[in-house]
C-alpha cells in the first residue's frame, strides 16, 4: 500500500530519511542512553511476556479482566518493537538513516498500536464498570464471546487510521531536506518535510485524533465516573478498598498513557519545543510500556500470587508462601 517516493527539487528520488534526535549528543551520552534504553527495552519484553504467560498458564486468571490485560501486553510488546530497536541501532551504530519504506512502515504500526491501545484501555474500563456497577450480571454481559469481539474491535480500530493516514502522508512530494527532527517517524516531524498544501491532511488528522483518541478517553472518564459513584455507595470501608483495588492499576496505566500523549500532541505550539516533545514521546513510547507490567504486578495481588505459583511450579515446589 506504500507509494513510490516522490522526486525532490534536484530531480532525484527521496530514498531515505535521517533521524536527527540524538545526532548532536556526545558519544558518552549516546552510550549512556543506549544502555538505559536497552535495559528498559529488556524489562518491557520480559515483563509483558511474563504477564502473557502467567495469565495463560494460571487458571485463576482466566477471567475477562486478565484476557484484556494479556491483549494489552501484546500491544505493548508490539509498540516497543516498532520504536526501540531502530532507536538503539541509531545510538549504537550511529546510523541515523531510515529508508523511505522503513519510515512509512514504522509510522503505520505506530498509529496502529497507538489507536488499538486507546480502544483497548476503554474496553478494560468498560469491563471494570460492569464488574463493579452490575456484578450480578457480569458473567452474562462480559462473557467469552463478548470479550473476543471487544478485543477484536480494539485491534481492528487501528487499521483504518494507520492505513489512511500513512498512505496519504507518504503520497505527498518530499523535497529539500530529508532530516526528521525526532527519534522515530512520527507524523508531525515528517509532515514538515512535505512541499505541498497539507491543509486537508491536517484537518483529517485532527478529526481522526478526536474520533480515535478522545472518544475512548471520554468513554474511560464516563466509566470511572460511574464506578466512583458506585464505590461511594458501598457502606463498608473494606468493600470500598476492595472495589477500588480492582481498577486502580488500570486507572494508573490510563493516566500515564493519556497524560504523556496528550501533552505531546495537544499542547499549544508556542509552549511545545521539539526537545520537550521528544522527552514526552519517550515517556509513552518507551517508559509506559515498561511500567504497565510492573504496575499490574505490584498493585494486583492476584497477579503477584499467580507469578508466585508459576515460579514455584517451575522450580518444583508445591506451595507459594
Amino acid at each position: 500500500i506504500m507509494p513510490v517516493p516522490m522526486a525532490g527539487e534536484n530531480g532525484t528520488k527521496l530514498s531515505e530519511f535521517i533521524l536527527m534526535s540524538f545526532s548532536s549528543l556526545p558519544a558518552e551520552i549516546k552510550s549512556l542512553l543506549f544502555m538505559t534504553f536497552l535495559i528498559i527495552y529488556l524489562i518491557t519484553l520480559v515483563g509483558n511476556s511474563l504477564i502473557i504467560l502467567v495469565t495463560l498458564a494460571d487458571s485463576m486468571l482466566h477471567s475477562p479482566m486478565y484476557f484484556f490485560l494479556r491483549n494489552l501486553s501484546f500491544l505493548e510488546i508490539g509498540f516497543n518493537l516498532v520504536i526501540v530497536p531502530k532507536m538503539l541501532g541509531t545510538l549504537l551504530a550511529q546510523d541515523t538513516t531510515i529508508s523511505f519504506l522503513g519510515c512509512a512502515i514504522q509510522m503505520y504500526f505506530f498509529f496502529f498500536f497507538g489507536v488499538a491501545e486507546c480502544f483497548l484501555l476503554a474496553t478494560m474500563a468498560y469491563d471494570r464498570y460492569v464488574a463493579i456497577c452490575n456484578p450480578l450480571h457480569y458473567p452474562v454481559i462480559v462473557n467469552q464471546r463478548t470479550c473476543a469481539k471487544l478485543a477484536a474491535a480494539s485491534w481492528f480500530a487501528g487499521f483504518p487510521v494507520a492505513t489512511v493516514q500513512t498512505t496519504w502522508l507518504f503520497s505527498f512530494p518530499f523535497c529539500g531536506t530529508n532530516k526528521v527532527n525526532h527519534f522515530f517517524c512520527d507524523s508531525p516531524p515528517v509532515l514538515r518535510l512535505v512541499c505541498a498544501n497539507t491543509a486537508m491532511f491536517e484537518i483529517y488528522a485532527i478529526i481522526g485524533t478526536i474520533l480515535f483518541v478522545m472518544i475512548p478517553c471520554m468513554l474511560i472518564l464516563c466509566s470511572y465516573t460511574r464506578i466512583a459513584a458506585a464505590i461511594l455507595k458501598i457502606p463498608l470501608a473494606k468493600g470500598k478498598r476492595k472495589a477500588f483495588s480492582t481498577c486502580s492499576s488500570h486507572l494508573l496505566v490510563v493516566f500515564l498513557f493519556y497524560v504523556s500523549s496528550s501533552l505531546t500532541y495537544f499542547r499549544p505550539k508556542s509552549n511545545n519545543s521539539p526537545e520537550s516533545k521528544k522527552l514526552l514521546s519517550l515517556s509513552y513510547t518507551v517508559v509506559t510500556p515498561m511500567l504497565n507490567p510492573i504496575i499490574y504486578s505490584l498493585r494486583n495481588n492476584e497477579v503477584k500470587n499467580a507469578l508466585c505459583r508459576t515460579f514455584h511450579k517451575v522450580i518444583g515446589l508445591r506451595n507459594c508462601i
Side-chain angles (χ1 to χ4, degrees):
I1 61 172
M2 298 304 166
V4 176
M6 301 300 292
E9 289 177 335
N10 58 2
T12 60
K13 289 184 178 180
L14 181 63
S15 60
E16 64 182 21
F17 293 98
I18 301 174
L19 300 174
M20 298 296 296
S21 184
F22 305 113
S23 59
S24 61
L25 295 177
E28 296 79 7
I29 301 297
K30 288 182 180 180
S31 299
L32 180 61
L33 288 176
F34 173 80
M35 291 304 301
T36 302
F37 292 144
L38 178 61
I39 292 170
I40 293 174
Y41 181 57
L42 294 175
I43 293 173
T44 301
L45 294 182
V46 172
N48 283 288
S49 297
L50 277 176
I51 292 290
I52 293 169
L53 293 174
V54 168
T55 55
L56 283 172
D58 197 297
S59 59
M60 299 294 290
L61 301 185
H62 290 178
S63 66
M65 176 180 175
Y66 297 107
F67 170 76
F68 293 128
L69 176 58
R70 187 160 59 247
N71 276 265
L72 180 63
S73 291
F74 272 115
L75 269 174
E76 298 293 23
I77 290 173
F79 207 65
N80 241 229
L81 288 173
V82 169
I83 304 295
V84 181
K86 177 59 183 176
M87 184 171 66
L88 291 175
T90 300
L91 289 167
L92 181 64
Q94 299 185 9
D95 180 14
T96 60
T97 61
I98 183 170
S99 68
F100 186 91
L101 182 60
C103 186
I105 291 172
Q106 188 181 58
M107 186 183 294
Y108 180 91
F109 283 103
F110 170 74
F111 285 135
F112 169 71
F113 286 118
V115 172
E117 182 160 350
C118 290
F119 278 87
L120 187 60
L121 290 173
T123 299
M124 295 173 77
Y126 171 74
D127 170 69
R128 293 298 84 206
Y129 159 72
V130 177
I132 293 173
C133 299
N134 202 355
L136 295 178
H137 296 92
Y138 178 72
V140 177
I141 297 173
V142 191
N143 53 45
Q144 189 174 5
R145 187 175 182 180
T146 302
C147 288
K149 288 181 178 179
L150 289 172
S154 299
W155 283 90
F156 178 77
F159 279 111
V161 180
T163 301
V164 174
Q165 190 150 332
T166 305
T167 305
W168 192 352
L169 177 51
F170 281 86
S171 68
F172 284 120
F174 292 89
C175 48
T177 181
N178 63 343
K179 296 178 180 179
V180 178
N181 190 18
H182 214 325
F183 59 87
F184 73 101
C185 287
D186 196 5
S187 178
V190 174
L191 188 63
R192 295 190 189 101
L193 308 182
V194 171
C195 51
N197 187 351
T198 60
M200 289 300 297
F201 175 84
E202 293 178 50
I203 292 172
Y204 160 78
I206 293 171
I207 295 172
T209 301
I210 293 172
L211 289 177
F212 294 100
V213 177
M214 298 311 296
I215 287 179
C217 183
M218 294 304 297
L219 292 173
I220 293 170
L221 289 174
C222 290
S223 296
Y224 276 106
T225 300
R226 300 290 296 273
I227 289 170
I231 291 176
L232 290 174
K233 292 178 182 178
I234 299 175
L236 299 177
K238 184 178 179 181
K240 290 181 179 179
R241 285 196 300 270
K242 185 178 180 181
F244 179 74
S245 67
T246 63
C247 55
S248 60
S249 298
H250 175 254
L251 191 58
L252 184 55
V253 168
V254 168
F255 177 80
L256 290 172
F257 178 79
Y258 270 100
V259 167
S260 56
S261 58
S262 297
L263 288 174
T264 302
Y265 292 103
F266 296 108
R267 288 173 67 190
K269 290 186 178 180
S270 58
N271 299 327
N272 197 7
S273 67
E275 284 68 29
S276 64
K277 188 170 182 178
K278 292 171 196 173
L279 289 174
L280 289 168
S281 297
L282 280 171
S283 66
Y284 72 86
T285 58
V286 179
V287 179
T288 301
M290 176 196 68
L291 292 177
N292 287 356
I294 296 174
I295 291 169
Y296 274 100
S297 298
L298 295 180
R299 298 183 60 86
N300 190 306
N301 287 328
E302 290 182 333
V303 174
K304 284 192 288 187
N305 291 335
L307 284 169
C308 186
R309 287 193 296 269
T310 303
F311 176 73
H312 278 71
K313 285 180 182 178
V314 170
I315 64 175
L317 297 179
R318 291 186 177 181
N319 297 319
C320 184
I321 300 173

